């Protein structure tokens, strides 16, 4: 393997590690809520499988299918860099969005609860 291919593999793995973590954080902001847990868990598995497939495609294209252990190390290093330096700042930016989603989900849940309660009361009145 040439030095240029190795450099592309390492640099690309660093960037993909950060991009995969950013995508995971972005999806977590919108789907990781108390009311959406049923959707979040399968979506998390699908996202990890998609990320692994995209990383495999990256290695096939840029390193011609040659795999070295330091590519995985640079992928993990990219994830660590993202979590240490970028995640806290992005978490602060995503917090207001997260709160708005949580409020809307609570409103939907409250409306559904009121409708169920109203329907039960109507059924009880019809019986009497």
């Amino acid at each position: 393997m040439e030095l240029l291919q190795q450099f592309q593999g390492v640099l690309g793995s660093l960037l993909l590690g950060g991009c995969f973590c950013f995508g995971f954080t972005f999806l977590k902001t919108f789907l990781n809520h108390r009311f959406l847990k049923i959707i979040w868990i399968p979506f998390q598995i699908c996202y990890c499988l998609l990320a692994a497939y995209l990383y495999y495609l990256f290695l096939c294209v840029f390193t011609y299918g040659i795999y070295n252990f330091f590519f995985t190390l640079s992928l993990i290093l990219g994830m660590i860099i993202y979590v240490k330096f970028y995640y806290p700042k992005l978490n602060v930016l995503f917090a207001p969005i997260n709160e708005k989603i949580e409020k809307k989900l609570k409103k939907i849940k409250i409306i559904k609860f009121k409708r169920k309660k109203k329907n039960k009361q109507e059924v009880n009145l019809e019986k009497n």
Side-chain angles (χ1 to χ4, degrees):
M1 180 185 298
E2 293 180 14
L3 187 60
L4 179 62
Q5 290 174 332
Q6 290 179 0
F7 180 72
Q8 287 175 340
V10 170
L11 187 63
S13 294
L14 278 169
L15 292 173
L16 281 176
C19 289
F20 291 155
C21 282
F22 174 74
F24 192 78
T25 304
F26 188 74
L27 293 175
K28 184 177 152 186
T29 300
F30 292 107
L31 295 177
N32 192 16
H33 295 282
R34 189 173 54 220
F35 306 114
L36 298 175
K37 286 289 186 187
I38 296 171
I39 298 170
W40 171 242
I41 294 171
F43 204 79
Q44 184 177 2
I45 293 168
C46 291
Y47 180 77
C48 290
L49 291 173
L50 178 69
Y53 179 70
L54 289 176
Y55 186 63
Y56 170 75
L57 287 178
F58 165 78
L59 288 177
C60 287
V61 170
F62 286 100
T63 63
Y64 301 114
I66 299 172
Y67 173 76
N68 288 326
F69 184 67
F70 55 84
F71 293 150
T72 303
L73 292 178
S74 62
L75 180 76
I76 293 170
L77 182 65
M79 290 178 181
I80 291 171
I81 289 171
Y82 173 82
V83 169
K84 288 284 186 184
F85 298 109
Y86 297 111
Y87 178 72
K89 295 173 185 169
L90 287 175
N91 201 17
V92 170
L93 291 175
F94 285 151
I97 298 169
N98 213 357
E99 290 172 5
K100 287 180 182 179
I101 292 171
E102 193 70 34
K103 285 180 185 178
K104 288 188 179 195
L105 288 173
K106 284 182 182 177
K107 282 183 182 178
I108 292 170
K109 180 107 177 169
I110 290 170
I111 291 170
K112 285 182 180 179
F113 179 73
K114 286 182 180 178
R115 284 183 187 166
K116 287 181 182 177
K117 191 175 180 181
K118 196 180 230 185
N119 289 339
K120 286 182 183 178
Q121 289 174 352
E122 288 175 2
V123 169
N124 288 337
L125 289 174
E126 289 175 2
K127 287 182 180 179
N128 294 333

